[in-house]
């Protein structure tokens, strides 16, 4: 009986503590005005005019998209993951007839480790129920085959930057997020879902949808997940 | 008394349904070719359409210069449509040009072909 009482108290304490952390995380998101730049509630922009107003990535499905450990670190020191900014088109300067990336707005928030953990806890509750979990199968894969598919056949490097070797600068396009660190950053099930149908997540995203088999998706997500 | 209750209810239902249908139709409305070009094409073909977009330095094959009457007039409208809808490979060109079938409807691609003809100030090969 004593044990039962102790266990009940522990459970109640844990639940209360978790609930408090989520409440704190939500309060921090509100007080730091994350919603001024990030869309915190769906649906995603459905017109180009609305996409152009986007200042920072949508966060209303952050719990489906990101790995929590990465979020905790990133929120303490946000960096630019999209070399040309959130919506590349808003950050282009023209020199002669050539486009270059102009000055990029920076995320103003830099939270303490404790606050970042609370915010990450809250963000992880923002999920999209339509995303199937457990679809990605981590497995051995041949990097050469993944590179042939992603570079030669699909030219993912036209828009995404692949990480450079041994700290060297990466190679690739700048209009979409860098692949450097993507394995630490993103939930592989979300990567699978997004590559399979980008417009499901972002109806006007400038990434084109390709027809991939499950085996091709698994190969790509295994490769991307290895980029940590 | 009963009539006075039913009539406003029917009118309200009609107005609500009509508004709902309008809003649904609005959500699927076509984007202009200029807006589609601005978001989907500029990343490689550039704001001026000369093939010097922000991604161009990373590409093994230079993106087409849409302002070149010489280059663009060598292409049939049907082939330009096919390249946009099915990707460069479908017309024997680069894999770097993906299929934009999920980004634009057929009607929007048709308008895009007209937009490109306006940029090159030229007609397609007959």
């Amino acid at each position: 009986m004593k044990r039962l009482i102790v266990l009940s108290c522990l459970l109640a304490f844990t639940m209360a503590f978790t609930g408090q952390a989520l409440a704190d995380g939500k309060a921090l998101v509100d007080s730091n005005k994350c919603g001024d730049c990030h869309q915190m509630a769906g649906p995603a922009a459905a017109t180009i005019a609305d996409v152009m107003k986007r200042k920072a990535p949508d966060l209303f499905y952050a719990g489906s998209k990101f790995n929590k450990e990465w979020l905790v670190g990133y929120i303490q020191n946000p960096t630019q993951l999209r070399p040309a900014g959130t919506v590349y088109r808003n950050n282009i300067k023209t020199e002669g007839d050539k486009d270059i990336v102009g000055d990029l707005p920076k995320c103003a928030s830099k939270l303490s480790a404790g606050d970042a953990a609370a915010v990450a806890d809250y963000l992880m509750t923002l999920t999209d129920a339509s995303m199937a979990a457990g679809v990605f199968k981590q497995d051995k894969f041949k990097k050469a085959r993944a590179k042939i598919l992603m570079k030669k056949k699909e030219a993912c490097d036209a828009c995404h930057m692949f990480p450079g070797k041994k700290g060297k600068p990466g190679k690739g396009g700048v209009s979409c997020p860098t692949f450097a660190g993507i394995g630490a950053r993103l939930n592989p099930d979300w990567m699978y879902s997004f590559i399979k149908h980008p417009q499901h997540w972002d109806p006007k995203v400038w990434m084109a949808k390709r027809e991939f088999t499950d085996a091709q998706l698994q190969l790509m997500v295994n490769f991307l997940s290895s980029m940590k | 008394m009963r009539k006075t209750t039913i009539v406003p209810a029917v009118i309200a239902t009609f107005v609500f349904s009509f508004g709902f249908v309008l809003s649904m139709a609005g959500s699927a409305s076509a984007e202009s070719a200029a807006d589609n070009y601005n978001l989907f094409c500029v990343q490689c073909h550039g704001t001026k359409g000369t093939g010097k977009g922000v991604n161009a330095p990373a590409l093994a094959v230079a993106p087409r210069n849409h302002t070149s009457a010489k280059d663009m007039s060598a292409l049939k409208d049907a082939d330009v449509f096919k390249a946009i809808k099915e990707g460069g490979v479908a017309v024997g060109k680069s894999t770097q040009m993906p299929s934009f079938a999920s980004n634009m409807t057929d009607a929007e691609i048709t308008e895009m072909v007209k937009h490109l003809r306006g940029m090159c100030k030229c007609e397609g090969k007959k």
Side-chain angles (χ1 to χ4, degrees):
Chain A
M1 188 62 183
K2 259 186 180 178
R3 269 188 189 174
L4 193 64
I5 292 168
V6 171
L7 272 174
S8 301
C9 288
L10 272 173
L11 186 65
F13 176 76
T14 307
M15 285 172 73
F17 182 77
T18 309
Q20 185 59 42
L22 291 182
D24 290 348
K26 170 81 168 69
L28 284 163
V29 164
D30 292 342
S31 63
N32 281 281
K33 299 181 178 174
C34 302
D36 283 3
C37 297
H38 296 278
Q39 199 175 316
M40 302 303 298
T47 65
I48 290 176
D50 283 341
V51 166
M52 291 300 185
K53 291 176 197 159
R54 187 183 289 158
K55 294 179 185 169
D58 292 343
L59 289 181
F60 57 85
Y61 50 86
S64 297
K65 180 177 178 179
F66 296 112
N67 288 323
K68 185 181 162 187
E69 293 72 19
W70 177 85
L71 266 180
V72 173
Y74 184 78
I75 296 166
Q76 293 173 64
N77 188 22
T79 55
Q80 190 58 255
L81 303 171
R82 298 162 188 249
T86 301
V87 178
Y88 81 94
R89 186 61 190 86
N90 289 329
N91 304 304
I92 290 176
K93 282 198 307 192
T94 304
E95 283 185 352
D97 63 348
K98 184 180 165 190
D99 290 348
I100 59 167
V101 178
D103 297 332
L104 301 177
K106 288 179 181 168
C107 179
S109 290
K110 275 191 180 185
L111 302 187
S112 68
D115 285 355
V119 169
D121 276 339
Y122 169 65
L123 292 178
M124 293 308 289
T125 67
L126 306 179
T127 57
D128 185 321
S130 71
M131 190 186 85
V135 173
F136 168 64
K137 308 289 180 224
Q138 188 171 17
D139 204 353
K140 286 181 182 172
F141 69 98
K142 290 190 175 167
K143 200 181 267 188
R145 286 187 61 199
K147 282 184 177 176
I148 287 171
L149 176 61
M150 295 186 71
K151 290 187 170 181
K152 278 196 168 177
K153 192 163 181 281
E154 299 299 339
C156 304
D157 55 343
C159 302
H160 295 275
M161 197 166 280
F162 278 69
K165 286 178 184 171
K166 295 176 184 172
K168 288 183 180 172
K171 284 184 181 175
V174 297
S175 64
C176 297
T178 176
F179 286 156
I182 193 171
R185 194 160 81 232
L186 301 183
N187 173 2
D189 281 335
W190 185 83
M191 283 193 244
Y192 184 106
S193 175
F194 187 85
I195 299 169
K196 189 175 181 182
H197 196 177
Q199 285 68 33
H200 167 78
W201 294 92
D202 190 356
K204 291 293 178 182
V205 70
W206 44 102
M207 176 165 157
K209 177 182 184 289
R210 276 89 160 170
E211 298 302 325
F212 290 120
T213 63
D214 175 66
Q216 288 174 319
L217 288 163
Q218 298 289 356
L219 176 63
M220 286 186 285
V221 179
N222 265 290
F223 183 34
L224 292 168
S225 295
S226 73
M227 299 177 192
K228 293 189 174 168
Chain B
M1 177 69 183
R2 198 175 168 198
K3 197 175 174 183
T4 54
T5 316
I6 290 171
V7 171
V10 169
I11 292 169
T13 306
F14 176 77
V15 168
F16 176 79
S17 306
F18 188 65
F20 179 73
V21 168
L22 272 183
S23 70
M24 290 303 285
S27 68
S29 63
E31 301 280 1
S32 71
D35 281 349
N36 278 326
Y37 192 91
N38 205 25
L39 187 60
F40 302 128
C41 311
V42 160
Q43 53 188 328
C44 295
H45 295 278
T47 48
K48 295 189 175 176
T50 52
K52 295 182 179 175
V54 285
N55 288 338
L59 303 178
V61 179
R64 188 169 292 280
N65 178 353
H66 292 148
T67 66
S68 165
K70 186 186 166 199
D71 291 353
M72 292 298 288
S73 60
L75 304 171
K76 292 178 182 172
D77 282 355
D79 286 340
V80 176
F81 182 97
K82 194 169 185 179
I84 299 169
K85 184 171 180 180
E86 298 175 30
V89 172
V91 291
K93 299 292 180 184
S94 172
T95 57
Q96 293 172 159
M97 167 74 185
S99 153
F100 281 97
S102 60
N103 306 85
M104 286 179 267
T105 63
D106 281 7
E108 287 174 319
I109 296 174
T110 300
E111 289 304 309
M112 181 62 76
V113 175
K114 291 180 195 167
H115 183 73
L116 295 173
R117 290 294 167 213
M119 290 177 78
C120 69
K121 300 184 181 72
C122 68
E123 288 188 358
K125 188 177 168 186
K126 302 295 176 193

